[in-house]
Amino acid sequence: MKRYTLQLSYNGKHYFGWQRQPREISVQEIIETALTKLNHTHPVGVVGCGRTDTGVHAADYILHFDFTEIDNLEQFVQRLNRMLPRDIVIFETKEVAADFHARFDAKSRTYRYFIQTTKDCFNYEQRHYVHVPLDVAKMNEGAKLFIGKQDFTSFSKLHTDVKTNMCDVTSAKWVQTSEHELYFEITADRFLRNMVRAIVGTLLEVGIGKIQVADIATILEQKDRGKASSSAPGHALFLWEVKY
Amino acid sequence: MKRYTLQLSYNGKHYFGWQRQPREISVQEIIETALTKLNHTHPVGVVGCGRTDTGVHAADYILHFDFTEIDNLEQFVQRLNRMLPRDIVIFETKEVAADFHARFDAKSRTYRYFIQTTKDCFNYEQRHYVHVPLDVAKMNEGAKLFIGKQDFTSFSKLHTDVKTNMCDVTSAKWVQTSEHELYFEITADRFLRNMVRAIVGTLLEVGIGKIQVADIATILEQKDRGKASSSAPGHALFLWEVKY
């Protein structure tokens, strides 16, 4: 057996997130089913770089799996792409060290959240439409308050079974790409469940003037689940990059 | 009563084309229903610049309708957009001469057909995925043969109830926008039903080497419905521009 990585992207629209679940369809299950077929039906399990929630997309996702030696990596990718549905695309497979771990070895993860401020009939499935004016300068002021190693309990989901809620956010900013389009980009060593969507939801409330920039510091200090604003919807969120 | 135009775009995915039908949902019906509500339920009919088939999109569509005087055109557009679903967007409404006709006064119509030559999980709903290499130079040679005032019977659908199949194509070309993306753009005074999709289907067969460029001239000369290659699917076709 050798260890391999897959680099892929997926459209989360039709999936209940990355992670395999007993009663719902997941990206992980679809990929494991395809790899198992390529392995003459001997079950193949994969370990992903992280979980994504229902409906969330991944522009750049890394997973690892163990497999008998693959002779032709390029052909393997082609066969896999033909077996996988249109909404999961494999870019590359590589042999890695036997102890490589897609989740534990990831140094940072970057997410992007896309907003439109005008009605658009062609991109609405992957954009969040905000129909009130946004103060992007204020939203960027607020974004800065998330940078640093902090306790993100206020921006995590209830019933999260992690030991610590400390995350080291190294970058957080809004980028205006055109008159009616902008995205939020955030990089950290790790993210808690629902964290990006809770941060975006809060910054949008700053943008429309419902809360003040200074309120963000207060919410962070409170370390109280559910203190943040309501989460922005998942369909506009993309896992954008994973670094090792 | 005054005559007005609406400039709009729509995503055709969920509609059985532009034109109102007794048993299926159409873009025309949705817009007429919204205008009728704005007219205190007195029925309002609209006349579009042309028909589009099931699943075909319009990036730029013009229609006209008669209505009691509209005081605030901008507000009218806003109200209409709020009433219409996400996949229909109104850009502008204008008062026009009482004899203006959205269909008969249109001088030219331009369509674009979008192709991808790599699997893409985010844009597949509006792109046609071709997974074999295409000879774009040959496809452009073939495209030139469609230019001019010609009989397009071979590229029309059976049971079309028009008097003549003559169309004056003023431009037809393939444009490569990136390594794996290209589109076909065609402009004519009028188009027959299914014509763009039949032309694209035929040029794709030239691109993969299934037929020769010279075969296009033969197919055109035969003036025989159904001589063209099978039509390219509708989901990647956009009515792109209408000129008056």
Side-chain angles (χ1 to χ4, degrees):
Chain A
M1 297 291 267
K2 304 236 175 200
R3 183 156 287 190
Y4 295 93
T5 53
L6 284 184
Q7 191 196 0
L8 63 143
S9 69
Y10 57 82
N11 183 327
K13 186 184 172 193
H14 296 113
Y15 300 100
F16 286 77
W18 160 261
Q19 177 134 325
R20 190 185 263 274
Q21 287 175 54
R23 265 176 291 273
E24 308 288 6
I25 196 169
S26 65
V27 181
Q28 183 182 9
E29 181 175 349
I30 298 286
I31 294 174
E32 286 178 343
T33 303
L35 285 171
T36 297
K37 280 186 193 162
L38 287 180
N39 200 33
H40 310 289
T41 74
H42 298 299
V44 179
V46 304
V47 176
C49 58
R51 298 177 189 184
T52 56
D53 286 347
T54 297
V56 172
H57 316 289
D60 184 20
Y61 195 92
I62 302 285
L63 63 83
H64 81 252
F65 64 104
D66 295 321
F67 208 84
T68 50
E69 183 151 13
I70 302 167
D71 292 329
N72 187 328
L73 294 173
E74 216 172 295
Q75 202 179 61
F76 187 82
V77 168
Q78 282 171 14
R79 290 176 67 191
L80 208 46
N81 270 326
R82 278 197 294 264
M83 293 172 71
L84 291 167
R86 295 181 302 182
D87 50 14
I88 303 177
V89 179
I90 310 294
F91 298 117
E92 199 179 31
T93 184
K94 271 194 219 175
E95 194 187 328
V96 286
D99 64 348
F100 175 87
H101 197 285
R103 182 162 159 224
F104 300 142
D105 289 355
K107 294 268 185 297
S108 76
R109 291 155 177 93
T110 298
Y111 280 89
R112 282 193 186 179
Y113 193 95
F114 291 87
I115 307 261
Q116 273 181 331
T117 57
T118 190
K119 204 178 164 190
D120 178 332
C121 63
F122 297 118
N123 298 306
Y124 61 80
E125 290 202 339
Q126 292 154 26
R127 302 287 181 264
H128 178 41
Y129 171 40
V130 178
H131 47 85
V132 287
L134 291 172
D135 186 333
V136 180
K138 281 238 169 73
M139 284 156 65
N140 258 325
E141 272 181 60
K144 282 188 193 141
L145 300 180
F146 291 105
I147 298 175
K149 190 158 186 169
Q150 303 183 65
D151 187 313
F152 280 86
T153 305
S154 298
F155 293 87
S156 74
K157 199 141 186 165
L158 286 161
H159 315 301
T160 306
D161 57 347
V162 291
K163 286 173 203 150
T164 164
N165 289 334
M166 295 295 286
C167 303
D168 190 4
V169 173
T170 49
S171 165
K173 64 182 175 201
W174 289 91
V175 179
Q176 186 101 36
T177 47
S178 70
E179 195 191 344
H180 294 295
E181 285 228 342
L182 64 158
Y183 66 82
F184 177 62
E185 186 181 271
I186 184 165
T187 302
D189 57 342
R190 64 197 284 265
F191 287 92
L192 307 177
R193 229 186 122 193
N194 202 49
M195 180 172 146
V196 183
R197 291 166 54 198
I199 290 174
V200 170
T202 302
L203 288 174
L204 286 175
E205 296 211 332
V206 170
I208 63 175
K210 201 173 158 190
I211 64 170
Q212 302 305 309
V213 171
D215 295 335
I216 291 175
T218 314
I219 297 168
L220 274 165
E221 277 160 24
Q222 285 172 321
K223 298 185 184 84
D224 188 355
R225 284 166 176 155
K227 279 288 174 194
S229 308
S230 59
S231 295
H235 72 273
L237 180 60
F238 289 69
L239 173 57
W240 199 257
E241 200 184 7
V242 185
K243 281 195 177 159
Y244 289 89
Chain B
M1 297 293 267
K2 304 238 175 198
R3 183 156 288 191
Y4 295 93
T5 54
L6 284 184
Q7 190 195 1
L8 64 143
S9 69
Y10 57 83
N11 183 325
K13 185 184 172 191
H14 296 114
Y15 301 99
F16 286 77
W18 161 262
Q19 176 133 327
R20 190 184 261 273
Q21 288 175 54
R23 264 176 291 272
E24 309 287 4
I25 195 170
S26 65
V27 180
Q28 183 180 11
E29 181 175 350
I30 298 286
I31 294 173
E32 286 178 342
T33 303
L35 285 170
T36 297
K37 281 185 193 163
L38 287 179
N39 199 34
H40 310 288
T41 73
H42 298 298
V44 179
V46 303
V47 176
C49 57
R51 298 177 189 185
T52 55
D53 287 347
T54 297
V56 172
H57 316 289
D60 186 18
Y61 195 92
I62 302 284
L63 63 82
H64 80 252
F65 65 104
D66 294 322
F67 209 83
T68 51
E69 183 151 12
I70 301 168
D71 292 329
N72 187 328
L73 294 174
E74 216 171 294
Q75 201 179 62
F76 187 81
V77 168
Q78 281 170 16
R79 290 177 67 192
L80 208 45
N81 270 326
R82 278 198 295 267
M83 294 172 70
L84 291 167
R86 297 180 300 181
D87 49 15
I88 303 177
V89 179
I90 310 295
F91 298 117
E92 199 178 32
T93 185
K94 271 194 218 174
E95 194 188 326
V96 287
D99 63 347
F100 176 86
H101 197 285
R103 182 161 158 224
F104 300 142
D105 290 355
K107 295 268 185 297
S108 75
R109 291 154 176 96
T110 298
Y111 280 88
R112 282 193 186 178
Y113 194 95
F114 290 88
I115 306 261
Q116 274 181 330
T117 56
T118 190
K119 203 178 164 188
D120 178 332
C121 63
F122 297 118
N123 299 305
Y124 62 81
E125 290 203 337
Q126 292 155 26
R127 302 289 181 263
H128 178 41
Y129 172 38
V130 178
H131 47 85
V132 286
L134 291 171
D135 187 333
V136 180
K138 280 236 167 76
M139 285 156 65
N140 259 323
E141 272 182 59
K144 283 189 192 138
L145 300 180
F146 291 104
I147 298 174
K149 190 157 186 169
Q150 303 184 64
D151 188 314
F152 280 86
T153 304
S154 298
F155 293 87
S156 74
K157 199 142 184 162
L158 287 161
H159 315 301
T160 306
D161 57 347
V162 290
K163 285 172 204 151
T164 162
N165 290 334
M166 295 295 285
C167 303
D168 189 5
V169 174
T170 48
S171 164
K173 64 183 174 197
W174 289 91
V175 179
Q176 186 101 33
T177 47
S178 69
E179 195 191 343
H180 294 294
E181 285 228 343
L182 63 159
Y183 65 82
F184 177 63
E185 187 181 89
I186 184 164
T187 301
D189 58 342
R190 65 195 285 264
F191 286 92
L192 307 177
R193 228 187 124 194
N194 201 49
M195 180 171 146
V196 183
R197 290 166 55 199
I199 290 174
V200 170
T202 303
L203 288 174
L204 286 175
E205 296 210 333
V206 169
I208 62 174
K210 200 172 158 189
I211 63 169
Q212 302 304 309
V213 171
D215 294 335
I216 292 175
T218 315
I219 297 169
L220 276 165
E221 278 161 23
Q222 285 172 321
K223 298 186 184 85
D224 188 356
R225 285 167 175 153
K227 279 289 173 194
S229 309
S230 58
S231 296
H235 72 274
L237 180 61
F238 290 69
L239 173 58
W240 199 256
E241 201 184 7
V242 185
K243 281 194 178 159
Y244 288 89

